[in-house]
Amino acid sequence: MLSWLRGLLRPSAKYSVLALVGAGLVLGVVGVLGFNATMHATNTEAFCTSCHEMGSNPFPQLQETTHFSNPSGVHASCSDCHVPKEFVPKMIRKIQASREVWGHFTGVIDTPEKYAAHAPAMKAREVARLKANNSQECRNCHEVERMLETSQTAKARKYHLSMESQGKTCIDCHAGIAHPRNLPGVAASH
């Protein structure tokens, strides 16, 4: 083992420094491009709904909401709400999301019934994550300061104006906005 490490520290007799640096740069560029392509591919709706349990429960729920279809034509995809935009939080979330992928491949959530049984725990984790980051994914699209107060009900206006002073965040009131049937006491349809 030690001789192998020493071998790595010795200059190459076969390749020039320029060739080694060039090869390192090419491998680095290929690695970064491959990494970015993977991150992009795993943030698409097609990827998220490729597991049948996602396509049969959460995605149809999203399709019934204003986040999917609305007069302005703005469309929120799975990653808009579930994947942070910033690099480090995004990587942490991708690692956390591997739990659902693992659940799919090991059969933990591979049927609508199993998914429904685990939905409350998955929802609780996601609500806790959004509370912890002050609903950052909501705030990527919605800015309280830019909301038209005249278009809101008196109650909504009151809550939006007092959110910060009360230590509240979007998810405190809007937990069922994209997946309403995952709320306690609401039956999921299959």
Side-chain angles (χ1 to χ4, degrees):
M1 175 72 171
L2 195 54
S3 64
W4 178 78
L5 185 60
R6 278 193 212 124
L8 286 177
L9 298 174
R10 274 195 306 259
S12 172
K14 190 173 182 180
Y15 302 104
S16 71
V17 172
L18 186 59
L20 292 173
V21 169
L25 285 172
V26 168
L27 284 173
V29 168
V30 168
V32 167
L33 292 175
F35 177 80
N36 284 336
T38 302
M39 288 298 103
H40 175 72
T42 59
N43 270 359
T44 63
E45 242 169 44
F47 176 82
C48 294
T49 59
S50 64
C51 299
H52 64 271
E53 60 272 9
M54 295 298 165
S56 67
N57 191 351
F59 191 63
Q61 286 187 43
L62 173 63
Q63 290 175 308
E64 297 169 6
T65 70
T66 191
H67 275 101
F68 188 83
S69 184
N70 56 64
S72 66
V74 174
H75 169 76
S77 68
C78 305
S79 63
D80 290 325
C81 300
H82 293 286
V83 182
K85 304 256 184 261
E86 302 79 22
F87 183 78
V88 172
K90 179 189 291 189
M91 294 304 103
I92 292 168
R93 180 64 189 119
K94 291 287 189 177
I95 292 167
Q96 292 169 339
S98 66
R99 181 178 188 163
E100 283 87 25
V101 175
W102 180 254
H104 166 74
F105 286 114
T106 59
V108 173
I109 59 170
D110 66 342
T111 67
E113 295 77 21
K114 289 178 184 178
Y115 184 91
H118 289 275
M122 291 187 292
K123 182 179 184 71
R125 279 194 303 270
E126 190 62 5
V127 167
R129 182 186 73 80
L130 285 164
K131 280 186 180 188
N133 76 7
N134 195 22
S135 298
Q136 183 56 52
E137 285 68 57
C138 302
R139 295 171 190 277
N140 287 336
C141 297
H142 302 279
E143 296 178 42
V144 174
E145 302 79 25
R146 299 190 74 178
M147 291 180 179
L148 298 174
E149 293 178 19
T150 56
S151 298
Q152 299 176 8
T153 65
K155 186 177 180 180
R157 194 169 36 252
K158 175 185 162 200
Y159 282 122
H160 286 140
L161 291 173
S162 65
M163 272 174 44
E164 195 171 321
S165 65
Q166 292 182 4
K168 298 285 185 184
T169 188
C170 308
I171 198 70
D172 289 314
C173 297
H174 300 285
I177 197 77
H179 305 292
R181 291 189 306 252
N182 285 353
L183 292 173
V186 179
S189 64
H190 306 305

